[in-house]
Amino acid sequence: MLVILGLLTSLLSFLYFRAPSIRKFFAGGVCRSNVQLPGKVVVITGANTGIGKETARELARRGARVYIACRDVLKGESAASEIRADTKNSQVLVRKLDLSDTKSIRGFAEGFLAEEKQLHILINNAGVMMCPYSKTADGFETHLGVNHLGHFLLTHLLLERLKESTPSRVVNLSSVLHHAGKIRFHDLQGEKRYSRGLAYCHSKLANVLFTRELAKRLQGTGVTTYAVHPGVVSSELVRHSFLLCLLWRIFSPFVKSAREGAQTSLHCALAEGLEPLSGKYFSDCKKAWVSPKARDNETAERLWNVSCELLGIQWE
């Protein structure tokens, strides 16, 4: 036992001693685009904290008019104030958006469309992870409702404005954990069997499938779309899991910062010449391997149709 403890202590000491070089290895890709965004309009969901906040900061630094769309308006205003001071860009605005409530989503879209005549970049960044079983205001399982259906509806409501502002882009944050996901059409709401870990994976697979189908339907419109794995990032996303919070704290020297996690979102929002890769999945600022389940066109189309039915919308 003493030998094992000694080996573990030595291993941990070595890891922490080598932390800077290990972190550099895991930091991943960096957005190299020099594109500036004066006159451009951006909407980012969940940009009051974490990856979304750092994405908003960089886009504001490039001159964009940035809308922070979030549930907690006070946190959003605090983030916006910080970003405005840091970037000297006064056009960082906060609007209420609760992705767990379709009335809130419709209210946000209605207000935005009345306020803005253009939308160049939509980043569907917000999400929940490892939630105990619960349902949204509309009766959807929370991971499905917030991570997939909420952004599906938001994109639908803003799509005409994106088409009027081409070239424009939609960036959907997914995760490498989509590989463990499955679209369980017989139990989408998790009422028969529920695992909060797998529920997150299922919703992230839905994000990739949505991106794939959206790209197919948007061919020739000037609107392109991309799915993104940000990496293993230190953020509030794991707040519902004590174990993950503990692991993130222990291994914090080795995981990405929010700024590093934002790089692939920024790459897909800004990089020139990315249009032929619409519908693809990116990690570390480059096209990445995607689960075979995420390449299933039949599943993608069926999920699209079921999502429309659940939301009561028609989307050709």
Side-chain angles (χ1 to χ4, degrees):
M1 180 62 73
L2 289 175
V3 173
I4 293 173
L5 287 174
L7 289 172
L8 286 173
T9 301
S10 298
L11 176 61
L12 288 173
S13 297
F14 171 77
L15 288 174
Y16 276 87
F17 178 73
R18 299 293 298 173
S21 57
I22 295 173
R23 281 203 76 247
K24 185 176 180 180
F25 174 79
F26 282 109
V30 176
C31 176
R32 303 292 183 186
S33 173
N34 294 316
V35 169
Q36 298 300 305
L37 302 172
K40 303 297 184 182
V41 180
V42 178
V43 170
I44 310 175
T45 66
N48 58 311
T49 186
I51 295 169
K53 180 180 174 182
E54 293 308 313
T55 304
R57 189 192 308 274
E58 182 58 31
L59 297 179
R61 183 173 285 118
R62 294 169 185 248
R65 181 176 171 89
V66 178
Y67 282 82
I68 293 175
C70 61
R71 183 177 56 181
D72 190 329
V73 174
L74 288 178
K75 278 189 176 181
E77 290 291 356
S78 176
S81 179
E82 178 187 323
I83 293 170
R84 286 192 292 263
D86 184 33
T87 64
K88 305 298 186 287
N89 182 347
S90 62
Q91 299 299 298
V92 181
L93 310 170
V94 180
R95 298 293 182 266
K96 172 80 171 180
L97 172 64
D98 184 349
L99 288 162
S100 68
D101 186 345
T102 57
K103 288 183 179 177
S104 176
I105 298 169
R106 291 181 182 279
F108 168 83
E110 183 180 349
F112 176 83
L113 294 174
E115 192 171 0
E116 290 289 347
K117 300 305 179 187
Q118 291 187 307
L119 175 58
H120 302 93
I121 301 171
L122 170 62
I123 302 181
N124 291 320
N125 165 86
V128 294
M129 181 182 188
M130 298 285 287
C131 298
Y133 188 78
S134 58
K135 291 189 174 182
T136 68
D138 302 276
F140 307 134
E141 187 277 316
T142 298
H143 294 88
L144 176 75
V146 172
N147 295 352
H148 170 59
L149 292 173
H151 284 127
F152 187 96
L153 177 60
L154 179 65
T155 306
H156 167 71
L157 295 171
L158 299 181
L159 188 58
E160 286 307 310
R161 192 64 90 240
L162 285 159
K163 288 180 178 178
E164 293 165 0
S165 311
T166 55
S168 54
R169 296 184 180 185
V170 178
V171 179
N172 297 317
L173 264 74
S174 181
S175 167
V176 69
L177 291 176
H178 81 271
H179 287 277
K182 184 178 181 181
I183 306 301
R184 303 171 67 244
F185 288 106
H186 66 287
D187 189 25
L188 275 179
Q189 309 301 339
E191 294 172 328
K192 297 178 181 178
R193 186 178 65 190
Y194 181 75
S195 161
R196 59 185 186 173
L198 286 176
Y200 176 75
C201 300
H202 301 333
S203 71
K204 295 293 100 179
L205 174 59
N207 294 152
V208 182
L209 289 166
F210 169 48
T211 304
R212 184 179 186 86
E213 185 67 13
L214 182 62
K216 185 177 77 172
R217 293 171 182 254
L218 290 177
Q219 286 180 0
T221 66
V223 184
T224 53
T225 181
Y226 313 91
V228 165
H229 168 55
V232 181
V233 180
S234 178
S235 74
E236 294 181 7
L237 186 62
V238 299
R239 63 188 179 276
H240 293 292
S241 170
F242 172 78
L243 178 60
L244 284 180
C245 286
L246 180 62
L247 289 173
W248 256 237
R249 185 173 294 274
I250 293 172
F251 292 101
S252 59
F254 314 113
V255 301
K256 288 184 179 183
S257 66
R259 182 175 179 275
E260 291 165 341
Q263 295 304 304
T264 306
S265 295
L266 291 167
H267 173 77
C268 288
L270 298 170
E272 296 175 291
L274 217 57
E275 289 77 12
L277 296 177
S278 182
K280 302 304 182 184
Y281 169 77
F282 286 76
S283 177
D284 286 334
C285 298
K286 60 182 181 292
K287 181 174 169 287
W289 187 76
V290 71
S291 164
K293 290 173 286 188
R295 297 195 295 268
D296 188 326
N297 291 327
E298 184 178 336
T299 301
E301 183 174 2
R302 185 180 176 188
L303 178 63
W304 182 283
N305 293 332
V306 169
S307 299
C308 288
E309 290 174 12
L310 289 170
L311 293 164
I313 60 176
Q314 290 187 337
W315 192 353
E316 299 302 328

